[in-house]
Amino acid sequence: MSRTVRHVLTALLLTLGMAVATATPAQAAVWWSSDRWGTWSSGGYTLYNNIWGSGYGAQTIWANSATNWGVWADHPNTGGIKSYPNQTRWSGKKISALGTLSSTFNVTVPTSGVAFTTVYDVWSSDNQHEIMLWMNRYGPVGPLGTLQTTATVGGHTWQIHRGHNGGNHVYSFIRTTNTSSGTVDIKAIVNWVKNRGWFGDVTIGNVQLGYEITSSSGGKDFITNNAVITAT
């Protein structure tokens, strides 16, 4: 092989390597996955790519740590939820036994050409009850069920919907204005639902924060700059 050919091949390989590195959503991340059900656990959290809907596109989740992570998603501009990439922490306590159940979060999300919500999912341990806390929403997305009331609880003002998805009861707290950062007193919210008589002294299971993505055509970044879930 001549020196000239070797130089050309070397240049091509370097170019291809740079292109691959540029296309990797989080090349410095400690973990990443494009697998539909990719998971990673660290520091009491589990990160989950969770591409669960139909008609989905490409999605890669990455993490610098369990509380600093994100996704790049390219889902088509069609209806129906495609994915809920999230971080999860387990509680395992009855509501009456909760010490602290709260979270602080800071995210950077796209605000145009998308349909999604940044949302907490708080589950009873038997998965029969689901409390959704919508911190922001963009595009044509809306909650399940019917509007019950507007209330200020857990540090935020919400429009509160109640419904059933065929598998479990859903209580959707839709923040009246979008926010990309803040603190949420989740214990106050689950007690509010309990005091309404919508469920009893249930055991809280998974507490999740993530992005419920319907569409993100062309590829969009959803970044959790920092999110901590405290469950004691």
Side-chain angles (χ1 to χ4, degrees):
M1 183 182 293
S2 72
R3 180 179 297 178
T4 300
V5 172
R6 284 199 301 270
H7 285 173
V8 170
L9 288 174
T10 300
L12 284 171
L13 288 171
L14 286 172
T15 301
L16 287 171
M18 290 175 65
V20 170
T22 301
T24 303
Q27 54 187 304
V30 298
W31 172 78
W32 65 273
S33 177
S34 298
D35 184 82
R36 186 177 179 186
W37 309 114
T39 61
W40 178 69
S41 296
S42 177
Y45 295 90
T46 296
L47 301 187
Y48 190 19
N49 207 22
N50 196 22
I51 307 171
W52 66 266
S54 60
Y56 57 86
Q59 179 174 293
T60 297
I61 188 171
W62 55 266
N64 294 321
S65 70
T67 57
N68 172 214
W69 61 278
V71 294
W72 174 88
D74 184 6
H75 296 299
N77 186 22
T78 55
I81 298 164
K82 311 301 189 304
S83 67
Y84 179 54
N86 67 81
Q87 71 183 82
T88 298
R89 187 151 208 161
W90 177 261
S91 169
K93 290 188 175 182
K94 287 184 175 294
I95 294 173
S96 59
L98 288 173
T100 298
L101 186 58
S102 65
S103 180
T104 59
F105 75 103
N106 183 294
V107 300
T108 301
V109 293
T111 58
S112 63
V114 289
F116 79 97
T117 180
T118 302
V119 59
Y120 287 91
D121 241 0
V122 182
W123 292 87
S124 61
S125 61
D126 61 3
N127 293 325
Q128 292 303 299
H129 300 277
E130 176 186 11
I131 300 174
M132 304 187 75
L133 309 177
W134 293 33
M135 307 314 299
N136 58 49
R137 55 174 171 162
Y138 297 93
V141 293
L144 181 73
T146 56
L147 178 64
Q148 303 294 304
T149 188
T150 299
T152 299
V153 59
H156 304 266
T157 301
W158 322 85
Q159 290 185 329
I160 302 168
H161 294 69
R162 184 184 182 191
H164 197 280
N165 63 13
N168 57 268
H169 299 280
V170 182
Y171 317 99
S172 298
F173 287 62
I174 314 302
R175 200 174 188 279
T176 53
T177 58
N178 284 340
T179 186
S180 59
S181 64
T183 299
V184 186
D185 185 348
I186 300 171
K187 177 182 175 180
I189 292 168
V190 297
N191 269 300
W192 186 94
V193 176
K194 176 177 173 288
N195 292 337
R196 296 278 294 197
W198 293 350
F199 53 48
D201 190 18
V202 301
T203 298
I204 301 300
N206 284 323
V207 181
Q208 305 172 309
L209 172 64
Y211 309 98
E212 197 170 63
I213 306 171
T214 294
S215 65
S216 54
S217 183
K220 305 290 184 181
D221 287 303
F222 304 79
I223 300 171
T224 306
N225 301 305
N226 186 61
V228 175
I229 299 169
T230 302
T232 64

